[in-house]
Amino acid sequence: QVQLVESGGGLVQAGGSLRLSCAASGRTFSNYIMGYFRQAPGKEREIVAAISRSGNKSYYVDSVKGRFTISRDNTKNTMSLQMNSVKPEDTAVYYCAAGTYSTVATMWNIREYDYWGQGTQVTVSS
């Protein structure tokens, strides 16, 4: 198993920046595809971005392309999401997740993730 703890959420004005971090403990971090998801009130949880085990491939949902950057450091067992030019519609609880059997081809799929953090609130004011 792997345990995930998010940090870095908060309140930010539209157009500003925020950096989320996810710290992993337990089994070998580099064994897992990693992803960030978000869930806004009344909406389903959705993929934001995902990153391959080595960190050389990433996926972004269209709404965040060019604004968000996902990265990971396998030596420190951490993943980060740099959020720039944030918009009010980015407001949500953000979760980091790990996928044991996920692949680069399927890392966009929420069903591929089997470990989840507790979530961190991101609120963007207009």
Side-chain angles (χ1 to χ4, degrees), residues 20-98:
L20 304 184
S21 294
C22 176
S25 61
R27 292 195 174 179
T28 306
F29 182 63
S30 59
N31 285 350
Y32 301 92
I33 291 276
M34 297 297 297
Y36 270 103
F37 294 77
R38 66 186 178 189
Q39 188 166 18
K43 294 189 176 182
E44 292 187 353
R45 193 171 298 187
E46 64 171 356
I47 182 80
V48 176
I51 190 164
S52 63
R53 291 174 176 82
S54 66
N56 66 337
K57 293 194 180 295
S58 56
Y59 167 88
Y60 297 93
V61 69
D62 286 348
S63 59
V64 308
K65 283 181 181 177
R67 301 190 296 122
F68 292 8
T69 302
I70 191 170
S71 61
R72 66 189 295 165
D73 186 337
N74 288 343
T75 66
K76 297 181 179 179
N77 294 349
T78 58
M79 175 179 65
S80 295
L81 184 70
Q82 178 66 42
M83 306 167 61
N84 297 331
S85 303
V86 295
K87 304 176 181 180
E89 50 264 42
D90 294 322
T91 295
V93 177
Y94 283 70
Y95 299 88
C96 69

